[in-house]
Amino acid sequence: MLVTARFVLKGEWLLGDIDHFARGISVAYAYFYWLIQPVPHIPETIRKRFATELRGREFTNETFPHFLHSKVPTEDRAKILRMKFSTDGWIELSCVSEAMAAVEFVIGAWVSNHSKAGEMVEKIKENLRAFNHIGVEQRAALDQDTGDALKQAERLFNEAAPALGLTRKESIKILALTGNPISALRMLVTLSKACQRLASIKRSGRLDLPELAAHTVDGKR
């Protein structure tokens, strides 16, 4: 469902803050838009990119989420409707409510638990450096070292995902789309970077999020 989401801007904003806001929303929304879609409704080209783009790199850059955003149907893309730059100002976006609510929820996790979330991302990065030489096809025959690395990565992913604000359903979808837990960890790094940018502005008291996130019960939105 399309909704209008108003982000309230408070206090002094620098040009870099506007850049962080735009990039953070664009990256996070691109990921979550496709995560809320049933897998059969995701075009095969996008499913293939999820399975290949996040493989074989230490960390992924923002090229992939920008590709994902470009493939969101035009009517569902996050678009600026109106904005007012002043103290206080605001930016109103047209967006899919479920995707933006998920973005808001993960930002909230970073705001309320930023120390633990930051430590978790550093732990992921440390492990990815160890896994970097491993490129794994979903059904590839695994040697012992690779199999052990995948088990370790899956345990870390299952620990990290809820700490970073992801529901179990979203975690399962990430694993299904990426094809292996090492690629899934790489995706968490990129998604976390985007949400961390937005959370840092909110923690400073300069950003109010729209009230889109639903109440949660047992990790479900």
Side-chain angles (χ1 to χ4, degrees), residues 20-37:
H20 283 176
F21 175 85
R23 285 193 186 190
I25 291 293
S26 177
V27 170
Y29 184 83
Y31 276 128
F32 277 113
Y33 178 84
W34 293 111
L35 287 178
I36 66 171
Q37 306 300 321

Side-chain angles (χ1 to χ4, degrees), residues 112-145:
S112 62
N113 207 10
H114 66 278
S115 294
K116 182 177 179 181
E119 291 172 2
M120 188 60 67
V121 170
E122 290 306 311
K123 185 176 180 180
I124 292 172
K125 289 180 178 180
E126 180 180 342
N127 279 269
L128 284 176
R129 292 186 184 100
F131 300 149
N132 190 39
H133 66 287
I134 299 173
V136 190
E137 295 294 340
Q138 189 168 6
R139 295 180 177 83
L142 304 178
D143 60 28
Q144 184 63 45
D145 289 342

Side-chain angles (χ1 to χ4, degrees), residues 54 57-60 110 115-132 149 152-166 171 174 180-193 196:
L54 298 163
R57 299 179 182 177
E58 182 176 326
F59 311 123
T60 187
W110 272 94
S115 294
K116 182 177 179 181
E119 291 172 2
M120 188 60 67
V121 170
E122 290 306 311
K123 185 176 180 180
I124 292 172
K125 289 180 178 180
E126 180 180 342
N127 279 269
L128 284 176
R129 292 186 184 100
F131 300 149
N132 190 39
Q152 184 179 346
E154 186 168 8
R155 286 194 297 269
L156 179 56
F157 179 82
N158 289 333
E159 176 188 3
L164 298 174
L166 293 163
S171 300
I174 290 172
N180 73 78
I182 296 176
S183 295
L185 287 174
R186 293 189 179 107
M187 178 173 161
L188 282 188
V189 172
T190 308
L191 181 58
S192 293
K193 182 179 179 181
Q196 187 177 15

Side-chain angles (χ1 to χ4, degrees), residues 23-134:
R23 285 193 186 190
I25 291 293
S26 177
V27 170
Y29 184 83
Y31 276 128
F32 277 113
Y33 178 84
W34 293 111
L35 287 178
I36 66 171
Q37 306 300 321
V39 172
H41 293 176
I42 301 176
E44 184 178 358
T45 54
I46 294 175
R47 281 184 275 144
K48 285 183 177 179
R49 287 290 291 269
F50 266 105
T52 59
E53 187 74 20
L54 298 163
R55 184 180 299 137
R57 299 179 182 177
E58 182 176 326
F59 311 123
T60 187
N61 56 31
E62 293 181 358
T63 302
F64 178 51
H66 288 324
F67 162 79
L68 292 179
H69 198 278
S70 73
K71 296 302 180 182
V72 174
T74 302
E75 64 274 15
D76 287 346
R77 292 179 190 173
K79 296 183 286 290
I80 295 175
L81 297 177
R82 291 172 289 274
M83 62 179 132
K84 175 185 177 184
F85 287 123
S86 64
T87 304
D88 294 343
W90 39 263
I91 297 177
E92 287 187 349
L93 300 178
S94 170
C95 54
V96 174
S97 60
E98 296 91 338
M100 192 60 76
V103 173
E104 181 187 349
F105 193 84
V106 175
I107 295 170
W110 272 94
V111 170
S112 62
N113 207 10
H114 66 278
S115 294
K116 182 177 179 181
E119 291 172 2
M120 188 60 67
V121 170
E122 290 306 311
K123 185 176 180 180
I124 292 172
K125 289 180 178 180
E126 180 180 342
N127 279 269
L128 284 176
R129 292 186 184 100
F131 300 149
N132 190 39
H133 66 287
I134 299 173

Side-chain angles (χ1 to χ4, degrees), residues 153-218:
E154 186 168 8
R155 286 194 297 269
L156 179 56
F157 179 82
N158 289 333
E159 176 188 3
L164 298 174
L166 293 163
T167 65
R168 181 60 182 162
K169 183 177 180 180
E170 290 161 352
S171 300
I172 292 171
K173 180 72 72 64
I174 290 172
L175 287 169
L177 288 171
T178 59
N180 73 78
I182 296 176
S183 295
L185 287 174
R186 293 189 179 107
M187 178 173 161
L188 282 188
V189 172
T190 308
L191 181 58
S192 293
K193 182 179 179 181
C195 292
Q196 187 177 15
R197 285 170 173 164
L198 297 163
S200 65
I201 300 173
K202 179 167 175 55
R203 282 202 312 274
S204 70
R206 293 176 295 137
L207 177 67
D208 283 349
L209 303 177
E211 296 182 0
L212 296 174
H215 295 292
T216 63
V217 178
D218 296 330

